[in-house]
Amino acid sequence: MSIGATAGRSEPRRPQCPRYIFSKSFINGYGNRVTMILVKLGGSVITDKSRLRSFRRSACERLAQELRPAMDGLMLVHGAGSFGHIEAKKHSLHMGYKDDSQIEHVAAVQRDVRELNLMVLEALIGKGIRAVSIPPAASATFRAGAIKSFEKGVFESVIDLGLTPVSFGDVVPDESMGFSICSGDLIMEALAESFKPELVVFCADVDGVYDKDPKLFRDAVLIPELQASTVKKIKLSESRHADVTGSIHGKLERMLAISQHCEKCMIVNGNVRGRLEKAVRGDEVESTVVLPR
């Protein structure tokens, strides 16, 4: 009998470490096969991108609650929003090293996005999701603003412990530029390619992809299925807020690339209550489904 144990009372059963299977699912600590789901919480959903370092706490806590049905097989990435883009653009951090005056702002933006990451972790943990942070530079090296190498083992170790890995957009060391911006979408692509999740969900501030900007045109029509041939025909407006992670067309091209590594890739509106939960449950939901090339 172990010290402190009560006679006649057995120790509580504890789960064994999950065993990851590289085919859209894994076996959790209780011996159950769990669907792997990769979710991106857009910076425009969890922050007010027009106001510096403005966290939308209630929205993030609601989204954390909506993610609970997927918590056993969840990998999460979030954007930097107003904690990263505004200052990064102001000091041209996306252009790489130009002069020493930028260095203090590299440090400041890294601090700010980690502050956001901690608040996202608090929201998730508060809803019972065992979330841990994995900054991009902990799993990848970068060159010319792109991922040079990606080490999935960091994420595997976290998943094997039954934890939920959470990564985010960040300023990262770059072999050719000194430093560069790693967007959340860039990490999403690396994770999708490495883990082949069953479902990838991009949580945005619109219902999906439209034929033109729905925030500017009332007659904009939602595109239920996005194909590569469709992207060139869409009349897209550039973001009205600071964004250092590329054009909207570029983001859609990355989603098309991601769709090749999963069973289903979709964009849903995170500002509408219940949409994210329906998506991760596999229910019908208003969205745009991104089709592989």
Side-chain angles (χ1 to χ4, degrees):
M1 182 184 297
S2 60
I3 296 174
T6 303
R9 183 178 299 172
S10 61
E11 294 282 338
R13 176 176 175 264
R14 295 181 182 178
Q16 311 234 338
C17 282
R19 180 166 59 86
Y20 178 70
I21 297 177
F22 296 90
S23 59
K24 304 179 177 62
S25 64
F26 64 93
I27 305 300
N28 69 11
Y30 296 99
N32 300 317
R33 186 178 295 277
V34 177
T35 298
M36 180 162 282
I37 297 176
L38 175 60
V39 175
K40 161 86 181 295
L41 298 180
S44 59
V45 179
I46 61 172
T47 78
D48 179 346
K49 291 187 76 170
S50 68
R51 297 171 54 207
L52 182 64
R53 294 188 292 272
S54 177
F55 181 52
R56 299 182 65 203
R57 187 178 304 278
S58 60
C60 193
E61 290 176 348
R62 172 180 55 79
L63 292 169
Q65 178 66 35
E66 293 187 26
L67 285 169
R68 281 185 55 82
M71 61 185 291
D72 288 338
L74 181 65
M75 290 191 295
L76 194 66
V77 176
H78 67 79
S82 62
F83 286 74
H85 291 280
I86 295 175
E87 288 297 294
K89 185 171 184 179
K90 180 178 179 181
H91 301 288
S92 300
L93 302 188
H94 57 301
M95 303 298 289
Y97 176 83
K98 301 300 179 186
D99 58 65
D100 287 350
S101 67
Q102 294 172 294
I103 301 303
E104 65 179 286
H105 302 293
V106 170
V109 170
Q110 278 211 353
R111 175 203 62 205
D112 290 347
V113 296
R114 279 153 181 74
E115 178 184 345
L116 173 61
N117 180 243
L118 284 173
M119 290 189 287
V120 172
L121 291 178
E122 286 177 354
L124 293 165
I125 292 170
K127 299 300 181 181
I129 298 175
R130 299 165 294 191
V132 294
S133 179
I134 302 181
S139 61
T141 60
F142 300 85
R143 182 176 180 81
I147 292 179
K148 178 183 177 183
S149 65
F150 182 76
E151 179 50 64
K152 61 188 176 185
V154 181
F155 287 85
E156 287 174 0
S157 298
V158 167
I159 293 169
D160 282 347
L161 288 171
L163 298 167
T164 297
V166 181
S167 196
F168 52 91
D170 197 8
V171 186
V172 295
D174 188 292
E175 292 180 5
S176 63
M177 298 170 65
F179 52 80
S180 62
I181 302 296
C182 173
S183 69
D185 291 348
L186 195 59
I187 289 293
M188 287 285 286
E189 184 175 9
L191 289 170
E193 185 175 355
S194 297
F195 287 91
K196 306 293 190 293
E198 182 165 318
L199 175 65
V200 175
V201 181
F202 285 86
C203 197
D205 63 346
V206 289
D207 291 342
V209 179
Y210 287 77
D211 61 344
K212 50 189 168 183
D213 192 340
K215 297 179 181 179
L216 297 177
F217 301 96
R218 292 184 178 180
D219 61 343
V221 177
L222 180 68
I223 300 171
E225 293 185 342
L226 181 71
Q227 304 178 62
S229 59
T230 311
V231 172
K232 298 176 183 179
K233 302 175 183 178
I234 300 173
K235 299 177 182 179
L236 294 173
S237 304
E238 292 305 313
S239 174
R240 291 169 291 171
H241 306 302
D243 194 312
V244 293
T245 55
S247 69
I248 297 176
H249 271 111
K251 293 176 185 292
L252 294 180
E253 288 290 341
R254 195 171 300 281
M255 290 180 189
L256 286 166
I258 288 170
S259 70
Q260 299 181 82
H261 303 296
C262 59
E263 289 292 324
K264 187 175 185 179
C265 178
M266 61 194 306
I267 306 163
V268 301
N269 195 334
N271 286 333
V272 179
R273 185 178 297 276
R275 293 271 179 92
L276 179 58
E277 182 172 358
K278 285 182 178 180
V280 299
R281 284 187 180 276
D283 297 337
E284 288 293 322
V285 60
E286 187 168 12
S287 64
T288 292
V289 175
V290 183
L291 301 178
R293 297 177 185 276

